């Protein structure tokens, strides 16, 4: 009798493992194929999977894909934003994991991972998945003791989220540029050209692009709703 119970337990464990492997392959395939042209189909595919069970897996795969191809950051952020409308726990988990990844990279002085992390968080802020207060906290941390690398990370972050912040919380954006003006005047860093580029960007910053992106993603969400 005990042997039968053990056998059933082993069979159930094997079945769960196979189910998990199938879920992993399904989510991984969808993430790897995602682009601006097929994103609505990818979202439908993902909602057909057990995202509650695979939420951690989805976040991990998206973070890995984005760090390897930052040019697709807007696509991945839009995907998360639509999923977040139905499963907000996934949006929350994604933001939490990205913040932890950024903090670890910051402590290790891993500039590349810092930049990819803040880029993803910037686009999630644009999509209203991450709160704008988080943007201020990131900038404050990086500019508390500015270095060449931290300045470069802030520049990358501001280029992605600056227009959104300027339209929602301009005080945060003004804080960034005030800090860079101070750095520029004190001539503390070797990569001063970075701050000059940022000040030029401040003079030409417009909300048109980000508002257009938000409209595109809003249309995407409505198209998805019509498919349900």
């Amino acid at each position: 009798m005990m042997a039968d119970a053990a056998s059933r337990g082993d069979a159930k464990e094997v079945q769960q493992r196979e189910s998990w492997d199938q879920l992993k392959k399904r989510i991984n395939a969808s993430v790897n194929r995602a682009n601006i042209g097929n994103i609505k189909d990818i979202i439908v595919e993902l909602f057909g999977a057990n995202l509650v069970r695979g939420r951690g897996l989805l976040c991990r795969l998206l973070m890995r894909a984005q760090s390897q191809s930052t040019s697709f950051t807007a696509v991945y952020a839009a995907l998360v934003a639509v999923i977040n409308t139905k499963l907000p726990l996934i949006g929350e988990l994604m933001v939490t994991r990205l913040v932890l990844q950024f903090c670890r990279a910051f402590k290790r002085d891993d500039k590349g991972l810092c930049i990819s992390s803040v880029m993803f968080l910037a686009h999630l802020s644009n999509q209203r998945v991450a709160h704008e207060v988080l943007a201020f906290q990131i900038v404050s941390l990086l500019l508390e003791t500015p270095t060449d690398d931290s300045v470069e990370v802030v520049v990358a972050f501001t280029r992605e989220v600056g227009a959104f912040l300027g339209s929602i919380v301009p005080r945060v954006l003004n804080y960034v540029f005030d800090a860079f003006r101070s750095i520029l005047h004190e001539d503390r860093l070797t990569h001063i050209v970075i701050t000059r580029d940022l000040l030029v960007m401040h003079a030409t910053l417009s909300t048109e692009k980000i508002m257009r992106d938000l409209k595109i993603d809003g249309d995407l969400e409505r198209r998805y709703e019509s498919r349900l």
Side-chain angles (χ1 to χ4, degrees):
M1 187 173 181
M2 292 181 63
D4 290 342
S7 178
R8 287 194 297 271
D10 291 340
K12 185 176 182 180
E13 182 178 347
V14 171
Q15 183 180 10
Q16 290 177 341
R17 188 181 302 115
E18 291 177 348
S19 176
W20 176 257
D21 289 340
Q22 291 175 358
L23 179 63
K24 182 177 180 180
K25 290 178 181 178
R26 184 174 183 178
I27 295 176
N28 188 51
S30 296
V31 170
N32 288 339
R33 291 191 299 108
N35 59 59
I36 192 63
N38 67 4
I39 188 172
K40 61 180 183 295
D41 297 320
I42 295 299
I43 290 171
V44 172
E45 288 180 12
L46 287 173
F47 272 112
N50 187 348
L51 290 183
V52 174
R53 183 186 183 195
R55 60 189 181 277
L57 178 61
L58 174 64
C59 292
R60 183 167 70 250
L61 292 173
L62 283 171
M63 289 168 63
R64 184 178 67 185
Q66 185 271 341
S67 66
Q68 294 172 350
S69 301
T70 55
S71 59
F72 283 83
T73 301
V75 174
Y76 297 135
L79 191 153
V80 173
V82 176
I83 294 176
N84 186 66
T85 63
K86 301 299 179 184
L87 297 171
L89 74 168
I90 291 180
E92 181 180 355
L93 180 61
M94 176 64 78
V95 172
T96 300
R97 289 194 174 187
L98 281 169
V99 169
L100 291 174
Q101 177 177 268
F102 164 73
C103 290
R104 287 194 295 266
F106 180 75
K107 291 178 180 178
R108 296 197 306 263
D109 291 326
D110 187 341
K111 183 177 67 174
L113 189 56
C114 275
I115 289 177
S116 66
S117 299
V118 299
M119 283 181 65
F120 209 158
L121 287 168
H123 281 274
L124 289 176
S125 295
N126 294 341
Q127 297 289 352
R128 305 295 186 94
V129 176
H131 198 278
E132 55 270 16
V133 171
L134 178 61
F136 176 73
Q137 292 172 331
I138 290 173
V139 169
S140 297
L141 175 64
L142 290 169
L143 294 180
E144 183 177 4
T145 307
T147 64
D148 292 339
D149 287 345
S150 69
V151 166
E152 190 172 347
V153 175
V154 175
V155 169
F157 182 64
T158 306
R159 281 175 177 156
E160 303 298 330
V161 77
F164 172 74
L165 292 178
S167 63
I168 302 300
V169 279
R171 285 180 297 177
V172 175
L173 192 61
N174 291 336
Y175 166 79
V176 173
F177 290 116
D178 287 344
F180 273 95
R181 287 191 186 93
S182 176
I183 294 171
L184 183 60
H185 290 160
E186 294 177 17
D187 201 22
R188 285 183 285 170
L189 304 181
T190 58
H191 292 174
I192 292 300
V193 65
I194 296 176
T195 59
R196 288 178 181 146
D197 287 345
L198 196 62
L199 292 176
V200 171
M201 182 175 63
H202 185 206
T204 59
L205 200 58
S206 168
T207 61
E208 291 181 2
K209 179 180 181 299
I210 185 60
M211 295 307 293
R212 183 169 64 251
D213 291 343
L214 289 173
K215 181 179 184 300
I216 290 173
D217 296 325
D219 292 341
L220 173 64
E221 183 177 341
R222 286 191 291 275
R223 288 199 299 271
Y224 166 71
E225 293 283 358
S226 67
R227 297 281 291 273
L228 293 181

